[in-house]
Amino acid sequence: MSAVAALWSTSIGKKAVMAVTGIALVGFVILHMAGNLKIYLGPEHFDAYARGLRALGEPILVHGQALWSMRLILLAAVVLHVVAAVQLTQASWAARPVAYTEKEAVAADYAARTMRWGGVIVLLFIVYHLLHFTVGVVGYAPGQFQEASVYRNVVNGFRVWYVSAFYVVAQAALGLHLYHGVWSMFQTLGMNARGNGFYRGLAVVAAVLVVVGNVSIPLAVLGGLVN
Ligand code: HEM
């Protein structure tokens, strides 16, 4: 068995895979949120940013190559993260057919359950989000979605109040998932030199930044600040 397969076959190996893919996903979510805030600079800046993402690395790379490479890495990270989570969950259910009665065990179990449900909500959100803002097949009147007008698509998309409400709820689920995920990642990778409070603080900062930054956008559209 290769070293990678041997690592994958253990639960600590799967947790390490979750931590490493989690770092890539948190990095993407923070950068994506920062990019999303360019919407406050107006349509020219926001659409130029979207075009810039496709032109990244030119002329050394061909048009779209860097973006597609990033998409493939992101997809691989999501698949590995989810498969490891499902297998760890199955192993934990198989090992514990009868519920715990101890208080701490119940608390740990609650966090794990929240992560599982939160993860499912975040995954459903990502599928909806791609169909909404990238493909444009949900949430728009016929002909309203224009691939090149990313700013207009976001404004038209968030003008539908229940779509905005869904985004806000999904960001809350993402925030909780990030908070617990970032915290567990430090534990799995054995990074506890600075004491628990420091790493919890980092987890809170990452989660709050992402939630506040992202939630501000549908609210700004509904409030007429971005139009
Ligand atoms: C209110 C918050 C958000 C806004 C306004 C937003 C906006 C957008 C827009 C406009 C696009 C299409 C970009 C383009 O076509 O150039 C996009 C793509 C994407 N978003 Fe978001 N997003 C938000 C939150 C999120 C979150 C929380 C995640 C992940 C958990 C996420 C993951 C993605 C992914 C994976 C893509 C596809 C990137 C690509 O392949 O080009 N987004 N987002």
Side-chain angles (χ1 to χ4, degrees):
M1 201 191 295
S2 74
V4 174
L7 186 68
W8 177 256
S9 68
T10 66
S11 79
I12 188 65
K14 288 194 178 85
K15 283 184 183 170
V17 167
M18 291 203 70
V20 171
T21 52
I23 293 174
L25 295 171
V26 173
F28 166 77
V29 167
I30 291 176
L31 288 178
H32 186 44
M33 181 276 296
N36 289 340
L37 294 181
K38 280 185 188 278
I39 199 146
Y40 293 109
L41 300 177
E44 296 80 21
H45 275 92
F46 197 64
D47 289 354
Y49 162 64
R51 281 197 302 277
L53 284 179
R54 286 158 180 81
L56 215 65
E58 286 183 30
I60 294 179
L61 302 177
V62 299
H63 192 72
Q65 195 176 0
L67 182 67
W68 273 103
S69 310
M70 197 192 73
R71 285 173 172 166
L72 289 177
I73 292 171
L74 216 53
L75 182 66
V78 170
V79 169
L80 283 172
H81 199 78
V82 172
V83 171
V86 168
Q87 292 191 0
L88 282 167
T89 302
Q90 284 169 341
S92 115
W93 284 346
R96 188 179 50 78
V98 180
Y100 286 120
T101 49
E102 306 259 330
K103 197 160 173 260
E104 280 96 309
V106 171
D109 201 42
Y110 174 76
R113 246 199 333 262
T114 311
M115 283 309 275
R116 286 166 200 155
W117 279 110
V120 170
I121 294 172
V122 171
L123 203 57
L124 291 175
F125 162 76
I126 294 173
V127 172
Y128 181 86
H129 181 53
L130 291 178
L131 295 175
H132 188 213
F133 282 160
T134 302
V135 192
V137 290
V138 294
Y140 295 100
Q144 197 182 31
F145 181 87
Q146 301 292 328
E147 209 186 315
S149 308
V150 183
Y151 180 94
R152 209 34 49 218
N153 294 336
V154 172
V155 171
N156 287 331
F158 284 150
R159 279 203 176 132
V160 184
W161 72 266
Y162 51 87
V163 171
S164 278
F166 169 61
Y167 269 77
V168 171
V169 171
Q171 300 311 299
L174 175 66
L176 274 179
H177 196 79
L178 274 184
Y179 166 65
H180 187 79
V182 169
W183 161 243
S184 320
M185 177 189 85
F186 286 127
Q187 303 249 300
T188 302
L189 300 180
M191 293 162 74
N192 42 21
R194 290 183 193 234
N196 278 353
F198 176 79
Y199 296 104
R200 271 200 196 280
L202 270 186
V204 170
V205 169
V208 169
L209 266 183
V210 168
V211 175
V212 171
N214 278 346
V215 162
S216 75
I217 300 171
L219 296 185
V221 170
L222 286 180
L225 184 67
V226 169
N227 58 46

